[in-house]
Amino acid sequence: MPQQINSFPQVATIAGTDSGGGAGIMADLKTFQARHVFATAVVVAVTAQNTLGVQASKLMPQTLIDAQFQSLAADFQIRACKTGMLGDSNHVRAVAANLKKYDFGPIIVDPVMIAKGGATLLNAEAIHTLKHELVPLATLITPNVPEAQTLTGQKIEKKADFITAAQMLQNLGAKNVLIKGGHLDLPQANDYVLLSDHTGFWLTAPKSATKRTHGTGDTISACITAELARGADLATAISISKKYVTATIAHSIQVGHGHGPLNHWAAQKEGLSFENI
């Protein structure tokens, strides 16, 4: 039956690898698998890293990035995609050009700037390019508080600041905005969502007393991508993903000596199977 060809939900991550397995493309692939979608990837950068930090990194040739996009477009039906670590201005520009060229569905932009261990992953010129060439393509942008402050110049300390920064990100061209508040020194992780119709809502979850949070930004953006590919509306996809990433932190696994990775199997303990969401 021809209508069944290529019918399974397919997604793409466009980012850098993490040899330690906790973040980047590795976290995305684990999340996609847990959320029952077929994962593909465009590798923009390769890193040598572990739970202690990033030891080395190398950007892929832009011709190879173009070729990866072309390969995916020629064979798969990508229903949603996400970006992560993009490295420098030229690579941000190359990714934006390919996302204009190929229809990979809704685009989730995770503006990765600093690794959990403190390594800078995006310089000032690249941030400028991201703001003006990639953010306007975003169906949803998912910065944490430091990233949102960098993109907007708006200090974020109280709830009103979240709302102002989200509006500023929409003014840059992002259709929808999720600002993640986990970096603030509060007992709860308060996230603010501003939708394209200018309605907003808050998502709140208790924080776990753990440093095993490596890859949280990658994981929540990947989960949103997966849920959209499976047909959820954006507000529902964000809400599911908040529950999922909260569970991955709460049900920790003991890996590494530094900022440990999430437990991407945690959905099973929380009952977050796609049958009952």
Side-chain angles (χ1 to χ4, degrees), residues 52-68:
L52 300 174
V54 179
Q55 291 79 46
S57 64
K58 184 174 181 61
L59 292 169
M60 294 294 98
Q62 291 178 46
T63 53
L64 184 55
I65 293 170
D66 293 342
Q68 290 177 84

Side-chain angles (χ1 to χ4, degrees), residues 12-16 25 40-45 64-65 68-69 72 95 104:
T13 171
I14 305 150
I25 286 176
T40 68
V42 172
V43 179
V44 177
L64 184 55
I65 293 170
Q68 290 177 84
F69 269 99
L72 297 189
V95 167
F104 280 5

Side-chain angles (χ1 to χ4, degrees), residues 230-275:
R230 286 180 31 219
D233 63 80
L234 183 59
T236 301
I238 294 172
S239 296
I240 290 171
S241 301
K242 175 72 169 180
K243 294 178 187 176
Y244 177 71
V245 78
T246 300
T248 66
I249 297 170
H251 301 289
S252 63
I253 52 176
Q254 305 302 307
V255 175
H257 296 83
H259 289 283
L262 307 181
N263 176 8
H264 290 91
W265 302 283
Q268 297 171 3
K269 293 185 178 181
E270 290 291 296
L272 293 178
S273 65
F274 67 101
E275 290 87 356

Side-chain angles (χ1 to χ4, degrees), residues 8 202 226:
F8 194 83
W202 291 91

Side-chain angles (χ1 to χ4, degrees), residues 187 206-211 213 246 249-251:
K207 285 186 179 179
S208 298
T210 179
K211 64 177 183 178
T213 57
T246 300
I249 297 170
H251 301 289

